[in-house]
Amino acid sequence: MIITCKISEVRELVRKWRSEGHTIGLVPTMGYLHEGHASLVDKAVAMCGRVIASDFVNPTQFAPGEDLESYPRDFDRDCRLLEEHGCHAVFHPDVSEMYSPGYATYVEILSDMPKQLCGRTRPIHFRGVCTVVSKLFNIVTPDKAFFGEKDAQQLAIIRRMTEDMSYGIEIIGCPIVREADGLAKSSRNTYLSPKERKAALILSRSIFLGRKMADSGETDALKITDAMRKLIESEPLARIDYVSAVNGTTMEPVREAVKGTLIAIAVYIGKTRLIDNFTV
Ligand code: PAF
C-alpha cells in the first residue's frame, strides 16, 4: 500500500492509475479506523480498480471546545487495517498541507439542511465537512466516494453538495456496522468508560424499538420518536440531544413516518456524544 502525505503525489498516482484504465474509489476518513470503515473499503475495492483512503482529522469541522485535540489517532494501526482490506493507497496529510497559511475559502450549503439535527448543536460542523470533502474530491478526482450511513445527515449533505457543484462523482452510502450487542461502531466509542459503554446500548435499543414500530405499520412520527425518547430517558447516564424524524433527503422535519423518512438520534453518554439512526 502506498502511503503519502503530499497532494502532488496523490495527483501523480491518480494520473498513473487512470492511464492504466482503472476506476478510482475514495474512502474519506478521520482515522482510528474500525470495522465500519473496513466495510467502506471492502465495498470500494469490490466496485473500483484502485482505492485510496484519506486519513485526516479535519480541524475545520470541530468547533472550539469540541474534541479535536483528544480525537483518537493511531496511524500505524489504520495502515494495517487498510492494507488487510486491500486498499491501494492512503493519503495522510498534515494540517498545513490541507490548509495553507491565509486559507479563507469554504464550501457551505445555504439551505436549512445543515442546520437541522447535528447542525443545531454543531453550527460550523457541516461547513468544515463540505470544505474538506470538496478538497479531497478536487485532489483525488475519484469516480466513486464511499461514506457510512451512520452519519446520515453528512451523507445527505455530501450528496447535495456533489450534485450542486457538478462533481460527477457517484456517492455510495454503506450500512451501519454494529458491535455484537448492537452499539453502532464509532471511533468515539473509545471515550466510554465500562459503565458508560453499557449505558450506550440505550441508543441502539431505542433505534430497534423505533424500527419495530415502523415495521409494524406505525406512521405517526411523533409516536415513534416519543417512545424512543422515553426509553432513552430511562437510562440515567443518557442525556438526549435530539430524537427526530426528518425527510431522508432534505432533512426537513416530518410528521409522517413513510418510506425514506430518517429517524435520527444524538445522545450524550457522560461527556461523549453518540449518534445512531434508521430509515423507514
Ligand atoms: O465522516 C468522517 O469521518 C468525516 O466527517 C469525513 C467525511 C472524513 C470528513 O472529514
Side-chain angles (χ1 to χ4, degrees), residues 66 122 128 155 160 184-186 189 191 197-198 214 273:
E66 287 186 348
R122 307 188 73 192
L155 178 57
R160 179 79 265 158
K185 300 241 182 201
S186 162
N189 291 349
Y191 296 153
R197 171 66 183 76
K198 241 174 156 182
R273 186 174 172 282

Side-chain angles (χ1 to χ4, degrees), residues 28-31 37 54 56-58 61 71 125 128-129 132-133 136 147 151 154 158:
T29 83
M30 295 209 300
H37 298 107
S54 60
F56 177 62
V57 181
N58 171 40
Q61 67 190 73
Y71 196 84
H125 176 67
V129 169
V132 79
V133 170
L136 290 168
F147 296 88
D151 297 298
Q154 166 173 284
I158 287 167

